[in-house]
């Protein structure tokens, strides 16, 4: 009875996370694909991060739910696949945030050379390199780096992964978060300094929201919010995973499982942050949803969408 209640609660949590995750991140990807104005480097990186979140809602959660329902986790490669998708989505999200910090640093520090330093081919290469690196790390257990046996009672990382691989995954994530956070703090400091210098030259006592410096600062603050949300949601799980590696008890396992909930919800709320902070994405969301649910004329939304993007500058 306890097990049935436990799995029922988890499936409710999964369903609650899965629906907004698939809807919101799918909306971001559709917006970037539909509107050419959303093909800038920052929007491409947002779409890349949204794809990482989409994996959680469209692949990881359904696979885990079906494995619980049908008992597939007792099979070796299904168990390894569930854990592998988890590493893939979490690692790719962390790497995507790092790429955003690098992009913001170049745009703010080298505004006149940013387009040559960050060309589309270079962006594609960096994104592809990140996905290949994370994919290799997440599939190592398939190549023998596992301790899975037919007698394994649970499909959890401390049972089917060697201790060295567990520590490797934890330290890669922790170091990645530290580097990314440090990079963001440097970028915020530079953006603030440039905004103040521009206002000082203009003889103004308040920030001018129409200046490029202020827009750049707005960009950075948005991504700092995204990064902060990511750290708040995932750091407890990473810390508990690190503790369980050395002190594995049923209590720690249960607490670690509970800390996974805010981590999963992180994938369901990022698109809300973008929609609130990014003016162009917000317009795209409204246009798409209006086209789907409110406008009876299927030809009119295209012209309306085009009209929206023919005026005004981007305010991220």
């Amino acid at each position: 009875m306890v097990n049935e209640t436990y799995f029922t609660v988890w499936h409710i949590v999964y369903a609650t996370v899965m629906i907004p995750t698939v809807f919101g991140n799918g909306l971001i990807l559709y917006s970037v694909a539909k509107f050419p104005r959303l093909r800038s480097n920052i929007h491409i990186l947002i779409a890349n991060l949204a794809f990482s979140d989409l994996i959680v809602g469209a692949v990881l959660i359904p696979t885990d739910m079906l494995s619980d329902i049908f008992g597939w986790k007792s099979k070796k490669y299904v168990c390894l696949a569930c854990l592998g998708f988890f590493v893939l989505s979490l690692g790719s999200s962390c790497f995507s945030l790092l790429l955003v910090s690098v992009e913001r640093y170049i745009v703010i520090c080298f505004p006149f050379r940013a387009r040559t330093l960050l060309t589309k081919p270079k962006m594609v290469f960096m994104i592809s390199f990140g996905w290949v690196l994370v994919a290799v790390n997440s599939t190592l257990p398939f190549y023998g780096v596992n301790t899975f046996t037919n007698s394994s009672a649970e499909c959890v990382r401390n049972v089917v992964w060697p201790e060295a691989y567990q520590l490797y995954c934890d330290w890669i994530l922790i170091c990645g978060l530290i580097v990314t956070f440090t990079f963001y703090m440097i970028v915020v400091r530079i953006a603030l300094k440039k905004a103040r210098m521009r206002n000082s030259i203009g003889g103004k006592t308040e920030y001018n929201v129409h200046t490029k410096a202020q827009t750049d600062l707005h960009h950075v603050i948005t991504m700092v919010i995204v990064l902060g949300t990511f750290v708040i949601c995932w750091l407890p799980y990473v810390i508990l995973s690190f503790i369980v590696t050395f002190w594995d008890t049923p209590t720690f396992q249960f607490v670690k499982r509970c800390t996974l909930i805010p981590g999963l919800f992180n994938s369901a709320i990022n698109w809300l942050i973008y929609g609130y902070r990014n003016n162009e994405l917000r317009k795209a969301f409204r246009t798409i949803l209006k086209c789907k649910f409110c406008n009876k004329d299927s030809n009119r939304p295209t012209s309306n969408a085009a009209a929206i993007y023919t005026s005004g500058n981007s305010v991220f």
Side-chain angles (χ1 to χ4, degrees):
M1 182 66 181
V2 174
N3 288 336
E4 291 181 0
T5 303
Y6 177 79
F7 285 117
T8 299
V9 171
W10 266 104
H11 291 165
I12 293 174
V13 171
Y14 276 160
T16 305
V17 173
M18 183 172 60
I19 295 172
T21 299
V22 173
F23 172 78
N25 292 291
L27 192 59
I28 288 178
L29 293 173
Y30 182 71
S31 299
V32 174
K34 182 178 178 63
F35 302 113
R37 188 69 177 269
L38 298 179
R39 308 286 171 78
S40 63
N41 286 340
I42 187 63
H43 288 104
I44 291 175
L45 290 174
I46 289 175
N48 185 51
L49 183 58
F51 186 72
S52 300
D53 290 332
L54 187 63
I55 291 176
V56 175
V59 180
L60 175 61
I61 291 179
T63 302
D64 202 58
M65 287 180 65
L66 292 175
S67 299
D68 284 337
I69 294 172
F70 295 104
W72 293 341
K73 286 187 177 179
S74 60
K75 298 180 180 180
K76 178 179 179 178
Y77 290 106
V78 174
C79 176
L80 296 179
C82 290
L83 295 174
F85 282 131
F86 179 78
V87 175
L88 180 68
S89 60
L90 186 57
S92 59
S93 295
C94 187
F95 192 84
S96 297
L97 289 170
L98 178 60
L99 287 182
V100 172
S101 68
V102 172
E103 190 269 347
R104 287 293 91 195
Y105 177 82
I106 292 176
V107 167
I108 292 174
C109 295
F110 309 101
F112 300 108
R113 298 174 55 196
R115 289 189 177 182
T116 57
L117 292 175
L118 283 177
T119 61
K120 287 296 188 294
K122 290 180 181 179
M123 288 289 298
V124 172
F125 172 78
M126 290 190 296
I127 292 173
S128 301
F129 174 79
W131 278 101
V132 170
L133 182 64
V134 174
V136 170
N137 286 337
S138 63
T139 55
L140 285 177
F142 284 90
Y143 308 126
V145 186
N146 68 79
T147 55
F148 187 94
T149 62
N150 292 331
S151 60
S152 297
E154 295 181 280
C155 181
V156 291
R157 46 173 272 166
N158 63 304
V159 173
V160 301
W161 283 356
E163 183 177 312
Y165 183 66
Q166 296 178 50
L167 291 174
Y168 168 75
C169 290
D170 291 340
W171 277 110
I172 285 289
L173 182 61
I174 291 174
C175 292
L177 289 176
I178 292 173
V179 171
T180 304
F181 184 79
T182 303
F183 225 102
Y184 271 107
M185 292 303 99
I186 294 173
V187 174
V188 168
R189 184 176 180 181
I190 295 173
L192 280 170
K193 183 178 179 180
K194 286 200 169 189
R196 288 169 181 165
M197 287 178 60
R198 182 162 297 195
N199 290 323
S200 177
I201 293 173
K204 299 178 181 180
T205 58
E206 297 181 355
Y207 288 137
N208 183 349
V209 297
H210 299 293
T211 64
K212 184 181 183 302
Q214 186 67 17
T215 302
D216 289 339
L217 180 61
H218 189 78
H219 293 182
V220 175
I221 291 176
T222 299
M223 298 317 299
V224 168
I225 293 173
V226 173
L227 174 64
T229 305
F230 182 85
V231 172
I232 291 172
C233 290
W234 280 110
L235 193 58
Y237 178 83
V238 174
I239 293 174
L240 262 296
S241 297
F242 187 79
I243 293 174
V244 167
T245 304
F246 298 100
W247 299 283
D248 187 13
T249 66
T251 301
F252 281 152
Q253 283 290 347
F254 177 76
V255 175
K256 187 189 79 169
R257 182 76 172 177
C258 292
T259 59
L260 182 59
I261 296 175
L264 294 175
F265 269 102
N266 176 248
S267 299
I269 62 177
N270 278 339
W271 68 279
L272 294 173
I273 298 175
Y274 301 137
Y276 177 75
R277 297 280 301 178
N278 189 312
N279 189 40
E280 288 199 347
L281 277 176
R282 186 165 60 251
K283 288 179 180 178
F285 291 170
R286 289 174 179 171
T287 302
I288 292 172
L289 295 177
K290 183 178 180 180
C291 291
K292 297 295 183 182
F293 301 111
C294 300
N295 202 322
K296 296 181 180 180
D297 186 358
S298 60
N299 295 322
R300 189 174 301 173
T302 303
S303 60
N304 289 343
I308 289 177
Y309 293 106
T310 55
S311 62
N313 294 323
S314 170
V315 180
F316 189 100

